[in-house]
């Protein structure tokens, strides 16, 4: 699949904003700690990915009712759904001047209860974009960091009306962000997450 930037300006994928707030002390401290343990940019990107995937539980897996959406809050509270974890990873990458984009999939929900939009990150490295899934592993889910072919949690099935959206967003998709911001808890969020973009 050919990935498409929603803006041709690569610097847009380095910007700090209210969601990807990589100038926040918590993001800076976390990025600095991860960078100290990395031998080069590749090692940093992999370390940041594995930190978000493994050290911040997906709130559905852990049963945490809190909803986070701002990167610094995800890192502070150590919880978030896929979208929030993607925001945290994007912030950690941008904190070290590595372009990061947000991207999405439309996936069938467990039990055939409709569809949901799943959040991913794309990192710009070695002149190309590479999608990563920091959602967190569990039985049946084995996402891995990779610049040599995708190792995402799920591969959409077009015959089941699942979709890989090719657009790389410099900012969170407004439909996703508005639902995250409005949710009072994870239960409400589960009922209001968008089914498509």
């Amino acid at each position: 699949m050919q990935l498409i930037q929603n803006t041709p300006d690569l610097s847009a994928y380095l910007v700090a904003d209210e969601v990807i707030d990589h100038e926040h002390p918590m993001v800076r401290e976390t990025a600095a700690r991860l960078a100290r343990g990395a031998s080069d940019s590749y090692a940093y990107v992999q370390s940041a990915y594995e930190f978000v995937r493994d050290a911040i539980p997906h709130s559905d897996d852990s049963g945490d009712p809190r909803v986070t959406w701002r990167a610094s809050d995800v890192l502070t509270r150590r919880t978030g759904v896929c979208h929030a974890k993607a925001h945290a990873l994007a912030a950690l990458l941008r904190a070290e001047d590595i372009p990061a984009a947000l991207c999405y999939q439309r996936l069938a929900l467990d039990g055939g209860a409709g569809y949901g939009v799943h959040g991913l990150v794309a990192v710009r490295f070695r002149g190309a974009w590479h999608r990563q899934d920091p959602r967190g592993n569990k039985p049946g889910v084995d996402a891995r960091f990779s610049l040599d072919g995708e190792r995402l949690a799920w591969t959409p099935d077009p015959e089941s009306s699942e979709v890989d959206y090719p657009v790389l967003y410099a900012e969170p998709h407004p439909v996703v962000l508005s639902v995250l911001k409005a949710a009072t808890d994870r239960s409400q969020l589960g009922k209001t997450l968008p089914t498509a973009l």
Side-chain angles (χ1 to χ4, degrees):
M1 175 176 66
Q2 182 176 355
L3 300 174
I4 305 162
Q5 293 179 202
N6 78 323
T7 175
D9 182 3
L10 194 58
S11 68
Y13 298 92
L14 292 168
V15 170
D17 57 29
E18 76 165 327
V19 179
I20 304 172
D21 57 341
H22 63 78
E23 295 172 347
H24 188 280
M26 173 54 89
V27 179
R28 298 310 257 181
E29 289 168 22
T30 305
R33 181 170 38 82
L34 293 170
R36 279 193 300 274
S39 57
D40 57 20
S41 297
Y42 178 91
Y44 175 79
V45 172
Q46 182 173 5
S47 179
Y49 166 80
E50 290 174 352
F51 174 79
V52 174
R53 183 194 66 187
D54 300 340
I56 300 171
H58 189 289
S59 57
D60 279 345
D61 297 345
S62 66
D64 193 322
R66 298 173 294 170
V67 175
T68 53
W69 52 268
R70 183 177 288 119
S72 58
D73 290 339
V74 175
L75 295 174
T76 300
R77 297 178 184 177
R78 295 289 177 105
T79 190
V81 295
C82 59
H83 304 289
K85 292 182 68 164
H87 300 164
L89 179 54
L92 289 173
L93 296 174
R94 291 182 185 186
E96 292 295 312
D97 294 321
I98 299 167
L102 301 167
C103 42
Y104 303 92
Q105 297 174 317
R106 178 183 194 244
L107 300 171
L109 299 175
D110 290 338
Y115 296 90
V117 173
H118 178 58
L120 308 169
V121 171
V123 57
R124 180 83 176 182
F125 204 77
R126 298 178 182 157
W129 288 103
H130 306 272
R131 293 191 308 167
Q132 311 295 324
D133 191 339
R135 171 239 183 264
N137 290 335
K138 63 179 185 173
V141 175
D142 186 27
R144 302 281 172 184
F145 175 75
S146 177
L147 300 182
D148 301 313
E150 293 183 338
R151 297 286 309 274
L152 307 177
W154 295 283
T155 301
D157 176 12
E159 291 184 13
S160 299
S161 298
E162 294 182 329
V163 178
D164 251 332
Y165 294 109
V167 178
L168 302 175
Y169 295 90
E171 300 172 342
H173 193 286
V175 170
V176 172
L177 184 59
S178 64
V179 169
L180 287 170
K181 285 178 150 183
T184 55
D185 61 28
R186 186 176 44 84
S187 175
Q188 181 193 14
L189 179 64
K191 297 172 187 167
T192 58
L193 273 175
T195 59
L197 295 182

